[in-house]
Amino acid sequence: MVQKGKGSEHVKYKRFMRKKFCRFCAEKTPFIDYKDTRTLKSYITERGKQLPSRMTGTCARHQRELTEAVKRARNIALLSFMEK
Amino acid sequence: MNYYENIVILDAALEDTGIDAAEKRITDLIEKMQGEVLKHERWGRRKLSYEINKHEKGYYLFFVFKAPPEAIKPLEELYKVFDPVFKFMIIKLRKKEIIALQNSLQAIEAKAAEQPAPDAVPDVAKDVAADAVEGVAAPSGADA
């Protein structure tokens, strides 16, 4: 870090963050089930919008699968499009 | 033959006999089209996440079946004109989902062999638990 003189100022403001990881990769989930609303709910906001992967740490592939699952669950009224 | 998963939402105000009749009509049509119902579950009356056609509650039926692709069109046509059904979704299963399904079917068979009379319809919670177990079991099988 000493070599990168620029970074030191930056580091001062950086809070400690635990490294994010993709839960589906870690657990080796074979596929993301749209019926499993309990899992899906942890990837949507209180308002019912999907969380971006930069917040959850989900990898690109699983984020795509997750999107499909959320859309399916919404279609069949297991999840809502918008929480009032 | 493809594997399909089908959720049907019936009017929650329907009597149990009406639900039986609706379920029979759906399974009959699938079998008529050379299909085979592999799994059927009743999730029961649930609150919908949003209002559909002024309905706040619905009776969920869940089917997994194997059928030729031509069978889907008539099934959708039926749902469109069948009064108790107000929402449905048919999904074609992909490879990984089919593998998980076959594992779960085998697990159910094994359980049935152990205990002669587990005729009770599994609820959603049980199903989710079973899925979790498969999630752990399946990758180890793939490695071997």
Side-chain angles (χ1 to χ4, degrees):
Chain A
M1 289 311 275
V2 182
Q3 287 164 335
K4 288 178 193 168
K6 258 174 156 181
S8 60
E9 203 176 325
H10 192 69
V11 165
K12 203 163 70 179
Y13 296 106
K14 201 176 176 186
R15 272 185 295 157
F16 171 76
M17 292 284 272
R18 183 176 283 109
K19 187 153 183 349
K20 291 171 200 154
F21 63 94
C22 176
R23 216 191 96 185
F24 302 106
C25 287
E27 288 177 5
K28 290 189 180 158
T29 327
F31 62 94
I32 299 172
D33 193 357
Y34 68 94
K35 300 185 291 296
D36 186 5
T37 47
R38 207 177 298 169
T39 309
L40 297 183
K41 268 186 183 160
S42 56
Y43 292 93
I44 57 175
T45 63
E46 279 174 32
R47 277 284 195 165
K49 292 210 264 184
Q50 202 183 347
L51 284 170
S53 60
R54 64 169 181 272
M55 281 174 76
T56 56
T58 318
C59 71
R61 174 192 290 196
H62 285 118
Q63 183 73 8
R64 281 196 298 273
E65 285 182 17
L66 201 58
T67 309
E68 194 181 7
V70 168
K71 283 177 179 174
R72 282 176 174 178
R74 279 176 183 163
N75 184 16
I76 205 70
L78 295 173
L79 290 180
S80 60
F81 285 95
M82 194 202 65
E83 214 78 59
K84 275 182 195 161
Chain B
M1 292 286 243
N2 291 325
Y3 286 83
Y4 295 96
E5 212 170 75
N6 181 200
I7 292 184
V8 183
I9 310 180
L10 302 176
D11 194 346
L14 220 62
E15 301 284 318
D16 284 352
T17 49
I19 288 160
D20 286 335
E23 195 179 353
K24 194 171 180 299
R25 194 160 163 194
I26 296 164
T27 46
D28 279 355
L29 183 69
I30 293 170
E31 274 156 21
K32 205 182 114 201
M33 302 302 294
Q34 274 93 43
E36 186 192 346
V37 179
L38 301 172
K39 215 179 190 183
H40 74 273
E41 285 170 16
R42 288 180 176 198
W43 295 358
R45 290 180 180 80
R46 287 171 66 124
K47 203 174 167 296
L48 302 174
S49 292
Y50 55 91
E51 215 173 78
I52 304 174
N53 297 354
K54 308 282 175 200
H55 291 286
E56 289 213 332
K57 280 184 178 178
Y59 195 103
Y60 278 71
L61 291 181
F62 174 69
F63 300 92
V64 179
F65 59 92
K66 201 163 111 180
E70 299 85 49
I72 302 306
K73 197 96 197 277
L75 196 60
E76 283 179 342
E77 295 291 318
L78 169 72
Y79 290 148
K80 277 180 195 166
V81 296
F82 196 26
D83 275 340
V85 177
F86 63 87
K87 187 86 180 169
F88 65 92
M89 183 167 75
I90 303 174
I91 279 173
K92 189 181 154 192
L93 296 184
R94 280 178 297 211
K95 243 181 216 167
K96 283 180 178 173
E97 290 160 336
I98 291 169
I99 292 166
L101 170 72
Q102 282 164 345
N103 286 343
S104 78
L105 287 176
Q106 277 172 3
I108 290 168
E109 264 176 38
K111 219 181 223 178
E114 268 178 37
Q115 300 165 335
D119 256 340
V121 181
D123 55 20
V124 183
K126 264 186 204 165
D127 190 49
V128 169
D131 282 354
V133 172
E134 278 156 34
V136 177
S140 63
D143 291 339

